[in-house]
């Protein structure tokens, strides 16, 4: 539509063309910023590796698994303890199961309450998509000597259920 006073306005057809032009400029600007960020502030290789591991292990989770809620973490909920290799105490709960875990950089011990046997996979321990498996005895106790280098989670399989904890770092 044209007014004779010298002000041009766009009709619907002209507006679509202008919006397409703006969108292509936005896309070009976004790509230029993405390339600049990749050069000036690249994602560290270790962080990219950890992200890929976490995504891969997340994809391995059981669809039917119950998520165990972290209800106690000694890093947050307890008074600080001095010393070398002080264990981190963690408690996870579901409606029917409590998992108490003590973690250091080289070892993990734990107990299931109520006491029961279970197969426990420690996810994310050494290699991408690797899992270390231990067995809890009839008293619900388990022990694993391992080197935890990145994020980890537990997947427990009891006779009644499959439970997965959230991901944590030592």
């Amino acid at each position: 539509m044209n007014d004779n006073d010298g002000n041009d306005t766009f009709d619907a057809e002209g507006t679509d063309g202008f919006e397409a032009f703006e969108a292509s400029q936005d896309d070009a600007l976004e790509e230029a910023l993405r390339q600049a960020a990749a050069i000036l502030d690249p994602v560290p290789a270790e962080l990219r590796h950890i992200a890929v591991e976490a995504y891969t292990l997340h994809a391995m989770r059981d669809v039917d698994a119950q998520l165990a809620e972290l209800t106690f973490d000694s890093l947050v909920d307890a008074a600080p303890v001095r010393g070398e290799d002080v264990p981190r105490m963690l408690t996870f709960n579901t409606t029917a199961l409590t998992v108490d875990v003590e973690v250091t950089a080289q070892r993990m011990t734990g107990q299931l309450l109520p006491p029961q046997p279970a197969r426990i996979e420690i996810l994310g321990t050494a290699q991408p998509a690797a899992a270390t498996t231990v067995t809890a005895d009839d008293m619900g106790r388990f022990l694993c000597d391992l080197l935890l280098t990145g994020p980890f989670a537990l997947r427990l399989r009891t006779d009644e259920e499959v439970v997965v904890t959230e991901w944590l770092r030592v």
Side-chain angles (χ1 to χ4, degrees), residues 65-71 90-101 110-120 136-142 154-165:
Q66 192 174 154
L67 183 62
E69 179 183 1
L70 179 65
T71 57
L90 304 165
T91 301
F92 299 95
N93 285 305
T94 67
T95 55
L97 184 68
T98 297
V99 184
D100 288 320
V101 181
Q111 182 167 14
L112 309 178
L113 299 169
Q116 58 190 293
R119 193 173 115 228
I120 302 160
D137 63 16
D138 291 337
M139 298 298 293
R141 300 172 299 193
F142 61 93
L154 303 177
R155 182 178 8 206
L156 299 95
R157 297 179 190 276
T158 67
D159 290 338
E160 291 84 32
E161 63 185 337
V162 176
V163 174
V164 177
T165 68

